[in-house]
Amino acid sequence: MSQTLNPPAALDVPRTRPAPRLLPAAGIAAGPFFLAAGLAQGLTRDGFDFTRNALSQLSLGDLGWIQVTAFLLTGLLVIGGAIATRRALRGAPGGTWAPRLLGAFGASFLVAGVFPADPGAGFPAGAPEDRVTSLSAHGTVHLLAGTVGYLALCAAFLVLARHFAARRQRGWALAARLVPVGVLAGFAASAATVAAFTIGAGLGLLGLSVVTTRLMVATPPVRR
């Protein structure tokens, strides 16, 4: 009589596995990493002034490769976080558009890293002392990437506010609505001082880290 042999248990391939834990960590770390890299360079590079120069200008000069690398790594980290958000919110309110908008925000950092900002306001050394008034082709692309990216981030916060509201997490919903207001207010005030732009951008990045942490704690990534 023939018998059916079962394969050894060691050869069984599990049908499900945990979603990579590095992806949520990447999304959480993106903002602090970029801001820490910018702060460290701004404090140590000759001629850089936080009240006159944007962090983007750190991509210029002999040590500009450091900031270019920071842009590229931050973009990849944000995209990793967007993937984690898609997995965590699958089938939930905001689960479609929030990850897409965050992915666009991450992509904007990749573009901004490839196309550097224009020199001006005395940085790097030898640059005109006046603020940038006319943009080069690469400076235009850099500016457009940042504009589209941060608008996508603001839209993502509003989508996530709906997610939190649907979960009756009113405090988080309110915070998700207020962060875009702070970001846009900082950008609007940049005509008076570049520091306002930096603060607005930093608020968006740190807000993203906080909200991502909340999403990962409240709705762990699904198993695939």
Side-chain angles (χ1 to χ4, degrees):
M1 183 174 62
S2 62
Q3 296 180 344
T4 301
L5 299 178
N6 294 323
L11 298 180
D12 288 343
V13 178
R15 294 183 179 181
T16 61
R17 61 184 179 86
R21 296 180 180 179
L22 289 178
L23 293 178
I28 294 168
F33 165 75
F34 185 80
L35 293 175
L39 179 63
Q41 293 178 82
L43 292 175
T44 56
R45 292 189 61 180
D46 291 338
F48 189 87
D49 185 344
F50 285 102
T51 65
R52 302 182 63 205
N53 303 114
L55 294 183
S56 294
Q57 291 181 300
L58 290 168
S59 297
L60 306 172
D62 294 339
L63 296 177
W65 63 270
I66 299 176
Q67 184 66 4
V68 170
T69 302
F71 267 114
L72 298 178
L73 288 179
T74 300
L76 294 176
L77 291 172
V78 172
I79 291 172
I83 295 172
T85 300
R86 178 176 62 84
R87 292 174 173 174
L89 300 186
R90 183 171 296 166
T96 299
W97 278 104
R100 292 178 180 177
L101 291 166
L102 293 177
F105 181 57
S108 73
F109 275 80
L110 300 181
V111 176
V114 174
F115 297 90
D118 288 317
F123 189 86
E129 290 296 324
D130 295 332
R131 294 182 64 174
V132 178
T133 55
S134 60
L135 297 175
S136 64
H138 60 80
T140 300
V141 174
H142 182 94
L143 180 61
L144 289 175
T147 301
V148 172
Y150 269 93
L151 288 177
L153 177 63
C154 290
F157 274 115
L158 296 179
V159 172
L160 291 172
R162 293 178 55 197
H163 169 82
F164 289 127
R167 293 288 189 273
R168 298 184 183 277
Q169 299 172 358
R170 295 183 178 86
W172 286 96
L174 177 61
R177 294 187 181 102
L178 289 178
V179 171
V181 174
V183 171
L184 296 177
F187 288 3
S190 63
T193 173
V194 176
F197 177 89
T198 303
I199 292 171
L203 176 62
L205 286 167
L206 293 179
L208 177 59
S209 294
V210 173
V211 168
T212 301
T213 301
R214 174 62 184 175
L215 290 174
M216 296 305 120
V217 171
T219 52
V222 298
R223 295 175 179 270
R224 294 188 63 184

